């Protein structure tokens, strides 16, 4: 089983609020048609969910956020998810909408529900989940990031490999020279933060990747503008990107 995170930076235009990158989504979907293993997809919020979460100052810590902000974030993520589902379906895939509320209780995973997800993937459907505004209890809500979902699913499902798809070639040692780190085992690389991202940007992805790789799973960072790199990682071929060695 392959677990893939489609970052908001690749499936939306983060510089233009509420703007999907339909062309990139179509190309990625077309590439995934060639994968013969069960796939689970998680996608980020990009210029949809992140736009509203910044506007209404919503964060990953459970708090009593404005109802209007909660509604705006949740509805925008549903809209983005619908676009991803439609473009996947038009590209010949069989996406299956999987809201995080289907397998999360508060901020904890429902283990039994999570372990049903691979069963769905093995039917020929592709479960597609996403970051969301979540109910915590006692009038509190929080932002559950797609990166956090990747960590949760990886720990409980132990996929063969994990792939983070972004709009850059991988993890850079620094943003000035843009020296690409091809393989990471121990040292924490230095990266710059992504604007308009309340869930931690690249640093959060790197943190989750380290945690996942410590459990013996290889984690790849690849550029979604070159979808062939996704399938190259899956098939064990040489590719341009970064691997966190499990």
């Amino acid at each position: 089983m392959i677990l893939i995170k489609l970052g908001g930076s690749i499936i939306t235009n983060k510089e233009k609020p509420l703007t999907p990158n339909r062309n990139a989504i179509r190309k990625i979907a077309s590439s995934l048609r060639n994968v013969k293993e069960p796939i689970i997809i998680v996608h980020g919020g990009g210029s949809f969910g992140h736009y509203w979460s910044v506007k209404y100052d919503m964060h990953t810590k459970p708090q009593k956020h404005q109802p209007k902000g909660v509604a705006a974030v949740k509805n925008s993520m549903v809209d983005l998810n619908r676009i991803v589902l439609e473009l996947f379906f038009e590209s010949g895939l069989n996406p299956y909408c999987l809201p995080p509320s289907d397998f999360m209780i508060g901020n904890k995973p429902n283990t039994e529900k999570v372990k049903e997800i691979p069963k769905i993937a093995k039917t020929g459907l592709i479960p597609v989940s996403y970051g969301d505004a979540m109910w915590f209890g006692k009038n509190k809500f929080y932002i559950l990031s797609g990166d956090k979902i990747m960590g949760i699913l990886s720990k409980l499902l132990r996929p063969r490999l994990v792939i983070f798809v972004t709009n850059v070639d991988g993890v850079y040692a620094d943003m000035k020279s843009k020296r690409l780190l091809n393989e990471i085992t121990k040292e924490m690389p230095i990266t710059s933060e992504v604007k308009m991202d309340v869930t931690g940007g690249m640093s959060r992805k790197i943190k989750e990747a380290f945690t996942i790789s410590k459990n013996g799973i290889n984690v790849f960072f690849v550029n979604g503008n070159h979808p062939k790199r996704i399938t190259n990682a899956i098939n064990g071929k040489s590719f341009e990107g970064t691997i966190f060695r499990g």
Side-chain angles (χ1 to χ4, degrees):
M1 181 183 64
I2 312 298
L3 180 59
I4 300 175
K5 163 72 190 302
L6 301 181
S9 63
I10 189 66
I11 64 171
T12 74
N13 182 344
K14 275 201 164 185
E15 302 303 317
K16 297 181 70 174
L18 310 177
T19 307
N21 187 344
R22 295 176 183 272
N23 190 43
I25 298 171
R26 286 192 185 96
K27 287 182 177 179
I28 291 170
S30 179
S31 182
L32 292 178
R33 286 206 310 264
N34 299 315
V35 178
K36 304 305 179 184
E37 296 177 68
I39 301 172
I40 297 172
I41 299 285
V42 179
H43 70 76
S47 65
F48 282 72
H50 285 304
Y51 170 74
W52 294 113
S53 57
V54 168
K55 183 171 183 177
Y56 288 98
D57 197 28
M58 292 185 66
H59 298 276
T60 55
K61 183 179 179 181
Q63 294 177 340
K64 291 184 179 180
H65 294 293
Q66 298 178 53
K68 190 171 184 179
V70 174
V73 172
K74 178 165 280 293
N75 292 341
S76 71
M77 288 309 300
V78 170
D79 287 344
L80 179 57
N81 183 249
R82 177 183 55 78
I83 292 169
V84 173
L85 294 173
E86 287 180 354
L87 294 176
F88 269 41
F89 189 72
E90 289 174 5
S91 299
L93 300 175
N94 300 308
Y96 180 90
C97 179
L98 188 72
S101 55
D102 280 11
F103 57 86
M104 297 289 295
I105 301 175
N107 65 344
K108 304 290 184 183
N110 181 327
T111 303
E112 290 185 7
K113 290 291 187 182
V114 170
K115 290 187 176 180
E116 289 178 354
I117 299 173
K119 297 176 184 178
I120 297 171
K122 288 176 182 177
T123 67
L125 294 166
I126 299 178
V128 181
S129 193
Y130 50 90
D132 203 0
M134 301 290 290
W135 164 255
F136 183 75
K138 297 182 180 179
N139 296 325
K140 291 184 179 180
F141 292 84
Y142 72 101
I143 299 294
L144 174 65
S145 73
D147 296 327
K148 180 66 174 178
I149 294 174
M150 291 291 285
I152 290 169
L153 297 184
S154 295
K155 183 177 181 180
L156 293 174
L157 300 182
R158 297 196 59 80
R160 182 173 73 82
L161 58 85
V162 170
I163 303 174
F164 284 81
V165 183
T166 70
N167 68 336
V168 293
D169 287 339
V171 179
Y172 298 118
D174 65 82
M175 295 305 291
K176 287 185 178 179
S177 67
K178 289 203 171 181
R179 181 172 65 85
L180 187 66
L181 298 172
N182 299 113
E183 184 171 333
I184 296 173
T185 52
K186 293 180 180 179
E187 292 185 12
M188 177 69 78
I190 301 169
T191 61
S192 66
E193 288 298 327
V194 178
K195 293 180 180 179
M196 203 179 81
D197 196 334
V198 298
T199 58
M202 185 63 94
S203 63
R204 181 55 186 263
K205 292 173 176 57
I206 291 170
K207 181 180 178 181
E208 292 293 348
F210 265 106
T211 302
I212 295 168
S213 66
K214 284 179 181 178
N215 289 323
I217 301 169
N218 285 339
V219 183
F220 295 84
F221 277 49
V222 301
N223 191 332
N225 291 305
H226 306 278
K228 183 68 176 176
R229 296 178 186 177
I230 301 173
T231 52
N232 282 348
I234 291 172
N235 296 326
K237 296 180 180 179
S238 62
F239 80 109
E240 185 175 354
T242 301
I243 179 173
F244 292 71
R245 191 70 69 179

